[in-house]
Amino acid sequence: MNDQHTPAAVGSAPAGTTRNTRNTGPGRLLIAVYAVFAISASARAGYQILTKFSEAPLAYLLSAFAALVYVIATISLAKAGSTWFKVSVAAVLVELVGVLVVGALSIFDAVAFPHETVWSLFGRGYGFIPLLLPILGLVWLYRRRPSQGKSLGKGAR
């Protein structure tokens, strides 16, 4: 009989699962940087949309989209579970594609981007951190993928 409400079972992880290690060690720094970008990109996009939207609607909507991606990445990196892991991977991949596409478009079609976004010129306005952050995020997620611990647990049975 599997009684998960016994005192011994309450404090331990269920069999076959692993503890979330994405939000420990360097992962905490990664989450903190994502949080800073989530806050700053949200504030920037909100200000731009409220005060000068007609000047560069595409750029400002892309800034808002980037802010949303940073918020999702921040939350999902901090949460445990395989679903949150998948959300993290998706958010960070969307971020990387966004930085690459918007970065390239802002160089080759500068008319479409009269004002910069977080991802313009590959994040030049932010010290290229928007370009490096998803790469570091994907490396971290790869090293902390859930399948690492599960395969060890199944073989020990």
Side-chain angles (χ1 to χ4, degrees), residues 19-31 77-78 140 144:
R19 193 172 73 78
N20 181 23
T21 60
R22 292 190 315 273
N23 62 7
T24 60
R28 287 184 181 173
L29 178 61
L30 187 67
I31 293 166
L77 284 166
W140 181 253
R144 298 293 188 227

Side-chain angles (χ1 to χ4, degrees), residues 5-17:
H5 299 292
T6 61
V10 171
S12 61
T17 63

Side-chain angles (χ1 to χ4, degrees), residues 34 38 42 65-79 84 86-92 94:
Y34 268 104
S42 297
F65 178 72
L68 178 63
V69 170
Y70 287 127
V71 168
I72 293 169
T74 302
I75 293 167
S76 63
L77 284 166
K79 297 281 192 174
W84 286 110
K86 291 172 188 173
V87 171
S88 294
V89 170
V92 175
V94 166

Side-chain angles (χ1 to χ4, degrees), residues 13 26 37 42 46 50 59 70 75 80 91 120 123 150:
F37 270 82
S42 297
L50 290 173
Y70 287 127
I75 293 167
S120 294
K150 287 184 180 179

Side-chain angles (χ1 to χ4, degrees), residues 55-56 58-59 101-117 120-121 124:
E55 294 176 21
L58 176 62
V101 170
V102 172
L105 286 175
S106 63
I107 291 172
F108 297 115
D109 189 10
V111 174
F113 294 91
H115 297 192
E116 286 193 12
T117 72
S120 294
L121 305 171
R124 182 179 73 177

Side-chain angles (χ1 to χ4, degrees), residues 4 7 16 18 37 47 51 62 70 73 75-76 99 114 133 135 149 156:
Q4 295 180 351
T18 58
F37 270 82
Y47 173 79
T51 61
L62 283 171
Y70 287 127
I75 293 167
S76 63
V99 171
L133 193 58
I135 295 167

